[in-house]
Amino acid sequence: MTWLEFALLHADEPCTVRVETPGSGTVPVGPCVIAHRETGTTVLCPPDTEAPPGTRIILPEGESVEVVGAHHLDPAGTRLPEHRQFDVVR
């Protein structure tokens, strides 16, 4: 299963975020899945998404957050397809 299939079939609300890139403005990325928890917020995106720590991501509601951790996750050992996980702070 691809990330697109997973996000559209299994996520309650897949959405599009905007990733700020130096010199190019903001780039829409999606479908993404956003998980808000007491310990922080995680944004799950397609596997080709580039957003190293320090990058700003604009969430669908307009809030700008900063990437503090970026992880490429492959499907080995998980129930999710290949994707990128970004840990963000407000």
Side-chain angles (χ1 to χ4, degrees), residues 41-70:
T41 300
T42 301
V43 182
L44 306 176
C45 295
D48 60 345
T49 305
E50 293 294 330
T55 301
R56 303 294 298 178
I57 293 178
I58 302 169
L59 302 178
E61 56 273 3
E63 181 180 7
S64 179
V65 295
E66 181 179 348
V67 175
V68 294

Side-chain angles (χ1 to χ4, degrees), residues 15-21 25-30 32 34 36 41 43 45 51 55-67 86 88-89:
C15 60
T16 299
V17 299
R18 292 178 291 149
V19 177
E20 293 183 357
T21 58
T26 59
V27 177
V29 174
C32 296
I34 300 171
H36 297 286
T41 300
V43 182
C45 295
T55 301
R56 303 294 298 178
I57 293 178
I58 302 169
L59 302 178
E61 56 273 3
E63 181 180 7
S64 179
V65 295
E66 181 179 348
V67 175
F86 300 106
V88 300
V89 294

